[in-house]
Amino acid sequence: MQMSDSREINATPDVVWAAILDPEVLKSCVPGCTEMSGNAADGFEAVVVQKVGPVKATFKGKVTLSDLVEPQSLHLSGEGKGGAAGFAKGGADVRLEPTETGTLLHYDVEAKVGGKLAQLGSRIVDGFAKKMADQFFTNFQEAIEGPLEDAVDDASADGSEEKKGWIKRIVS
């Protein structure tokens, strides 16, 4: 399964770069992630609990980063094993492009599954993978910018223009 997309993030490429290398940010962005440890140099280890169709599993896996060109691009590759449910592995090429309002984040993802997960059929698995990727990048954008609903509520309540995400609050 392959997919590509992009998102406009209201932050500089340096802020987006720092966030994508931070294990705490990644943990908060990966749907179902219960544990995340490691660093960008050595890779990250994670535990993710997910339900795909009728199959619920705990995946333990490792993600490594390569081809890092700060703050422009990187390649993520990972593999997770879910016991009897099977395995998932894949990679993503991420590119950051500066824009007038922040950063355009492009991603190209390739994923493969095996075991019981593969028996569910490509339509279910592909739909689930797209949903997971969309949720990850939505969570990632909100970790940097702050939730859109909160920004609108806060701006009307106290007259401020925007509410910063926790990453922007730290680096600003």
Side-chain angles (χ1 to χ4, degrees):
M1 191 249 3
Q2 294 181 328
M3 72 179 125
S4 299
D5 205 351
S6 60
R7 285 186 178 261
E8 178 75 28
I9 298 177
N10 188 16
T12 66
D14 289 329
V15 170
V16 176
W17 183 262
I20 209 161
L21 300 180
D22 186 318
E24 289 303 312
V25 174
L26 295 176
K27 180 181 177 186
S28 70
C29 296
V30 175
C33 185
T34 59
E35 296 177 35
M36 175 79 69
S37 62
N39 58 57
D42 300 324
F44 301 100
E45 291 188 10
V47 176
V48 176
V49 178
Q50 278 298 329
K51 184 174 184 200
V52 184
V55 179
K56 182 177 180 179
T58 299
F59 291 90
K60 294 179 182 176
K62 183 165 176 94
V63 175
T64 55
L65 306 177
S66 59
D67 304 329
L68 281 77
V69 180
E70 185 176 342
Q72 299 172 4
S73 64
L74 60 90
H75 178 78
L76 297 120
S77 55
E79 184 171 350
K81 296 181 180 169
F87 69 89
K89 65 180 176 178
D93 289 311
V94 178
R95 296 179 321 281
L96 305 177
E97 181 182 314
T99 65
E100 288 182 16
T101 58
T103 302
L104 189 59
L105 182 149
H106 301 277
Y107 59 93
D108 300 306
V109 177
E110 183 175 355
K112 297 176 185 155
V113 297
K116 282 187 181 179
L117 289 175
Q119 295 171 359
L120 293 174
S122 64
R123 208 154 78 181
I124 291 174
V125 173
D126 289 356
F128 176 78
K130 178 166 178 22
K131 179 181 164 190
M132 286 284 289
D134 288 344
Q135 187 63 55
F136 172 83
F137 285 105
T138 297
N139 293 347
F140 184 73
Q141 185 172 2
E142 288 181 355
I144 295 172
E145 295 179 352
L148 181 59
E149 302 82 32
D150 289 349
V152 171
D153 292 345
D154 286 355
S156 60
D158 65 12
S160 67
E161 290 181 24
E162 66 177 281
K163 179 179 179 181
K164 293 181 182 176
W166 67 275
I167 294 295
K168 283 181 83 174
R169 286 193 299 267
I170 292 171
V171 297
S172 295

